[in-house]
Amino acid sequence: MTSNSVDYLCWLTNESIKVFDLSLNAYSKVIDIQKYDPQIQQICTLKKADKDEMYLLGLGSKNLLIYDISNSKAERVEILGRVSQL
């Protein structure tokens, strides 16, 4: 994915979501999913249409992790109903 003209590679492991900055050849962020929802099974991206902003979404069993790649800010949103896919 690309945010603010920087390319990133993201992947999900059992313990974390890793965000790798391809231009720096280094990790930009390692998100410990235990802090948000240990049952995160799926990630996807969302791009804001009018700006070069990218968000990484992680769907868990009870929460949605939203990570703002442009600002390196993560937050958790509680899911009130059953959601099975992003």
Side-chain angles (χ1 to χ4, degrees), residues 24-48:
L24 295 176
N25 198 26
Y27 286 108
S28 168
K29 181 76 172 179
V30 176
I31 303 166
D32 178 11
I33 61 174
Q34 300 298 319
K35 291 170 45 178
Y36 299 96
D37 191 326
Q39 299 298 318
I40 290 178
Q41 298 295 315
Q42 182 181 4
I43 60 174
C44 72
T45 59
L46 178 66
K47 182 175 173 116
K48 196 168 184 180

Side-chain angles (χ1 to χ4, degrees), residues 4-76:
N4 291 331
S5 301
V6 177
D7 293 323
Y8 297 93
L9 178 64
C10 303
W11 65 93
L12 174 65
T13 69
N14 290 336
E15 298 86 25
S16 63
I17 297 173
K18 298 183 179 188
V19 181
F20 191 81
D21 184 330
L22 294 172
S23 63
L24 295 176
N25 198 26
Y27 286 108
S28 168
K29 181 76 172 179
V30 176
I31 303 166
D32 178 11
I33 61 174
Q34 300 298 319
K35 291 170 45 178
Y36 299 96
D37 191 326
Q39 299 298 318
I40 290 178
Q41 298 295 315
Q42 182 181 4
I43 60 174
C44 72
T45 59
L46 178 66
K47 182 175 173 116
K48 196 168 184 180
D50 59 338
K51 296 183 180 179
D52 190 21
E53 295 177 4
M54 185 71 71
Y55 299 90
L56 181 64
L57 307 175
L59 179 61
S61 60
K62 297 178 182 174
N63 301 293
L64 178 67
L65 165 66
I66 303 173
Y67 177 63
D68 181 347
I69 291 181
S70 305
N71 296 313
S72 289
K73 181 181 174 188
E75 65 181 83
R76 179 180 60 89

